[in-house]
Amino acid sequence: MYRLLIVDDEEMITDGLYETLSRCGLDLDLCKAYSGREALDWLHRTRVDIVLSDIRMPGIDGMQLMSAIKRHWPHCRLIFLTGYSDFDAVYQAIQTPGVQYLLKSEGYPKVIHAVGQAVAELNDSLRVNDLIHRAQEKLNTLEVLARGEYFRHLLHGANEAANLAEDFGKLNIPLDADRPVYVAQGDLSGISAALSSYANRHESAMAVTLLAERLLDGHVLCLGMIDRFGDVVWLIQTSADRAEAGEDEADDASFPTYLVGQFELIQQACLSSLNLSVAVTLADRPSNWPKLSATYDKLRRQRQTRAGDGEQMVRTLSLEVSCCVKERSPRDKSDALSAHLEAGRRDEFLQLFDELTDTEPDNGSPYLLELYYTISLILLSYINRWELENQVVRFPALMRRDEFASWKDAFAFLRATAGSLFELRSTGERNRAAEAILKVRAYIEEHLDEDLSLVRLAGYIHFNPSYLSRLFKQACGVNMSEYIEAARIERAKTLLKGDDLKVLEIGVRVGYEASQSFTRFFKKATGVTPQEFRDAVRT
């Protein structure tokens, strides 16, 4: 339903228009004001879609009102009524998009027609199916995918605020990393069973995202994305020109009212164009980037406390009570903990673990119980997957919280267990590296007469050549080529001590097809030729 505001300093005209339009059959929410100042109060309190106003009024006149309307509600249609032939005002009005001009003498039928036309224009602006189809190519670009993945990373607990400006630049993100941001969350849980498949739900969520960006475009800085739950999240800042004028989000009390009104329009557009109901929860003030994740979590938690079915609700959430990590569900952080464990990021895991468990002891806390078993399950899953149960001390205690006298002892056990898993991983990596090097060295000893190129040896143990070269030098202290030459020379010395083979044959046995090459390398390593070495060991 659109909201129409009637403004005239003559009460009889205002009341007459109100009564006439209330009976005209248009589905409108009617409001009235008897002065420009009272009209401004309406504009500051709620979204207004159509304004029917006199031009000439004492105090704030129609032209000043038009400026305020375009600043606060840029999609609003304006119909001017006047009994004066004020050419300058009329000329200015008709040059402004979304503005109509009528003489009061033209009567109510003309007014009703003009209001109907304004309603039709608003409906047209909300029919965006063709826009969504045209934007389909945009959905598939790597840039859009990268942006969504990046912000999902931030929303779900990544602590990377220090690199925001650099990241925003690389990803062409249309937000200012130095200014706080409003967060709004759209709940699509009322989606019909016919759209319950992942592909349909994702497509619907993207359609809602694009539609909102279309209606907010040009008036705010906005980026929409889909969170891991399949719902829509918008990050919003005031427009660049307002920022340049020095208007701070935190001090702009009218901006949340504007956002509430715009999201009402977005809901109406989603219902009429997409046949989707969207409930919106909006933070009442901007959030600093380091607190983005906590603010988002607080918005999600409010879904459990909404009134009725919540459909078509735009709810404003107060952020006066600061959000902190321990207010969050442990499940919200479990993915990050698990990712750090799987990737072997010890420092990041322990830092997040300490943040989560830095809480006052409370033996009856359901949160701490959930936290304990959430972390335990992460560790248990890792242990089972890598078959480490025989290498972890007190492994069964992971699922027996009652074995510990206090929460401090319980979490200390979990931390120690995590530390041992990282150590086992590190030890395992070192052991596997040592085993690989032993395997390579054994292969070299057994195939000194063959091609022992780095490429062949790397293929033998399924490593890439550069990595094998670096790993071999770390383990043995010499380059692989030096090791192979030394092994060939030592084998040659052993064979030269016997009388069974000629010097030429020995050279072939250790990988030198040409006798000159064998002699040159042997003398470089020992200071004598192969024959001189044989003669010396015989005497």
Side-chain angles (χ1 to χ4, degrees):
M1 178 181 292
Y2 297 120
R3 187 169 294 118
L4 184 149
L5 175 63
I6 303 167
V7 188
D8 199 302
D9 61 312
E10 296 184 41
E11 291 187 21
M12 185 172 63
I13 294 177
T14 304
D15 293 342
L17 288 169
Y18 184 92
E19 292 176 10
T20 300
L21 290 171
S22 64
R23 297 193 302 264
C24 71
L26 294 171
D27 186 18
L28 294 168
D29 178 17
L30 299 178
C31 312
K32 52 186 176 180
Y34 299 109
S35 69
R37 174 63 61 187
E38 190 178 350
L40 281 181
D41 292 339
W42 274 105
L43 294 172
H44 289 147
R45 289 202 307 269
T46 186
R47 185 195 89 246
V48 177
D49 304 300
I50 304 171
V51 172
L52 184 60
S53 174
D54 191 6
I55 288 184
R56 290 288 187 92
M57 293 183 293
I60 297 176
D61 64 17
M63 302 311 295
Q64 292 171 304
L65 195 59
M66 181 173 69
S67 298
I69 290 168
K70 291 305 176 184
R71 184 168 63 253
H72 287 89
W73 307 111
H75 295 285
C76 180
R77 268 45 182 183
L78 182 57
I79 303 169
F80 277 135
L81 292 171
T82 184
Y84 298 89
S85 299
D86 189 334
F87 178 80
D88 291 336
V90 171
Y91 182 79
Q92 184 178 347
I94 62 177
Q95 297 304 309
T96 304
V99 176
Q100 299 183 61
Y101 171 81
L102 295 174
L103 290 171
K104 289 181 179 179
S105 59
E106 292 185 89
Y108 289 137
K110 281 280 189 179
V111 173
I112 294 171
H113 176 77
V115 171
Q117 185 178 339
V119 169
E121 290 175 2
L122 288 169
N123 286 335
D124 288 341
S125 71
L126 298 182
R127 293 192 183 99
V128 293
N129 283 330
D130 58 330
L131 169 72
I132 294 166
H133 292 311
R134 290 198 303 270
Q136 193 65 39
E137 184 178 349
K138 177 185 175 184
L139 299 183
N140 298 322
T141 64
L142 291 176
E143 184 176 277
V144 171
L145 294 174
R147 286 177 180 179
E149 186 61 32
Y150 175 73
F151 276 107
R152 277 189 291 274
H153 195 49
L154 289 183
L155 289 175
H156 297 299
N159 186 20
E160 298 183 357
N163 303 318
L164 282 180
E166 179 182 350
D167 292 341
F168 284 14
K170 289 181 178 179
L171 294 172
N172 288 325
I173 292 170
L175 297 171
D176 189 339
D178 296 323
R179 294 164 54 203
V181 62
Y182 282 88
V183 185
Q185 189 252 336
D187 178 7
L188 299 178
S189 60
I191 199 167
S192 67
L195 296 177
S196 59
S197 74
Y198 173 82
N200 287 335
R201 185 182 178 89
H202 185 82
E203 182 180 0
S204 298
M206 284 305 302
V208 171
T209 302
L210 286 171
L211 189 151
E213 288 185 359
R214 165 70 176 82
L215 292 175
L216 293 168
D217 184 40
H219 308 292
V220 301
L221 302 178
C222 177
L223 183 68
M225 73 213 72
I226 302 172
D227 66 13
R228 73 181 184 194
F229 304 103
D231 290 325
V232 180
V233 177
W234 293 277
L235 303 178
I236 304 167
Q237 293 174 329
T238 54
S239 59
D241 57 341
R242 295 179 72 169
E244 291 172 2
E247 295 185 34
D248 193 332
E249 278 93 343
D251 298 328
D252 189 354
S254 66
F255 192 60
T257 304
Y258 165 77
L259 291 179
V260 169
Q262 290 304 101
F263 276 113
E264 288 177 345
L265 279 180
I266 290 165
Q267 286 178 326
Q268 188 169 334
C270 288
L271 196 59
S272 62
S273 298
L274 305 173
N275 197 29
L276 291 174
S277 291
V278 182
V280 177
T281 306
L282 169 70
D284 69 337
R285 65 193 64 193
S287 170
N288 292 324
W289 288 103
K291 293 186 176 181
L292 176 65
S293 179
T295 300
Y296 162 77
D297 289 334
K298 194 167 186 179
L299 292 178
R300 284 202 61 82
R301 287 200 302 275
Q302 292 306 305
R303 296 172 62 168
Q304 305 301 319
T305 61
R306 66 191 184 193
D309 60 13
E311 292 188 12
Q312 298 298 103
M313 171 185 277
V314 178
R315 182 173 186 179
T316 303
L317 172 66
S318 173
L319 296 183
E320 278 188 347
V321 180
S322 62
C323 301
C324 60
V325 173
K326 59 192 177 188
E327 287 180 333
R328 311 176 63 188
S329 166
R331 174 62 186 164
D332 294 331
K333 282 291 191 179
S334 63
D335 287 347
L337 276 174
S338 182
H340 291 325
L341 181 61
E342 291 293 335
R345 296 189 289 263
R346 178 192 183 104
D347 292 343
E348 290 88 342
F349 180 97
L350 293 179
Q351 179 183 353
L352 181 54
F353 180 96
D354 290 341
E355 288 176 4
L356 286 167
T357 57
D358 181 20
T359 183
E360 294 297 326
D362 180 357
N363 291 329
S365 171
Y367 169 82
L368 292 178
L369 191 63
E370 181 187 0
L371 178 61
Y372 177 86
Y373 283 111
T374 296
I375 298 174
S376 292
L377 285 171
I378 291 171
L379 301 178
L380 182 63
S381 177
Y382 185 88
I383 291 169
N384 288 339
R385 190 160 53 258
W386 297 106
E387 300 179 352
L388 301 173
E389 58 271 15
N390 295 326
Q391 302 178 58
V392 177
V393 178
R394 298 179 66 190
F395 159 68
L398 283 171
M399 301 311 293
R400 294 204 291 264
R401 156 66 186 94
D402 53 0
E403 288 195 7
F404 304 98
S406 66
W407 285 113
K408 181 178 180 181
D409 292 343
F411 287 125
F413 167 70
L414 293 183
R415 198 180 196 281
T417 302
S420 67
L421 293 180
F422 282 108
E423 185 58 37
L424 285 171
R425 179 192 178 101
S426 180
T427 301
E429 290 171 350
R430 291 194 298 269
N431 291 342
R432 286 188 291 275
E435 290 173 5
I437 296 305
L438 286 175
K439 191 175 181 181
V440 169
R441 290 172 63 172
Y443 185 89
I444 290 171
E445 295 292 339
E446 295 172 6
H447 300 84
L448 286 173
D449 59 335
E450 300 177 12
D451 170 31
L452 292 177
S453 65
L454 179 60
V455 172
R456 181 175 182 182
L457 292 172
Y460 171 63
I461 58 170
H462 309 292
F463 284 7
N464 61 300
S466 59
Y467 180 72
L468 174 59
S469 177
R470 181 166 61 87
L471 192 65
F472 191 95
K473 186 168 185 179
Q474 286 176 349
C476 302
V478 295
N479 291 328
M480 186 177 291
S481 58
E482 295 172 339
Y483 180 87
I484 293 171
E485 292 300 333
R488 282 172 165 163
I489 295 301
E490 289 303 314
R491 177 68 59 82
K493 286 180 180 180
T494 300
L495 294 176
L496 286 169
K497 291 176 182 180
D499 296 325
D500 299 338
L501 299 173
K502 296 178 181 180
V503 171
L504 178 61
E505 294 173 323
I506 292 173
V508 174
R509 288 283 185 93
V510 295
Y512 297 101
E513 293 292 336
S515 60
Q516 298 90 335
S517 297
F518 176 50
T519 299
R520 185 172 66 255
F521 278 103
F522 192 91
K523 186 172 184 178
K524 180 181 178 182
T526 65
V528 296
T529 66
Q531 187 60 55
E532 290 172 342
F533 179 86
R534 169 170 273 181
D535 294 341
V537 296
R538 285 177 175 178
T539 58

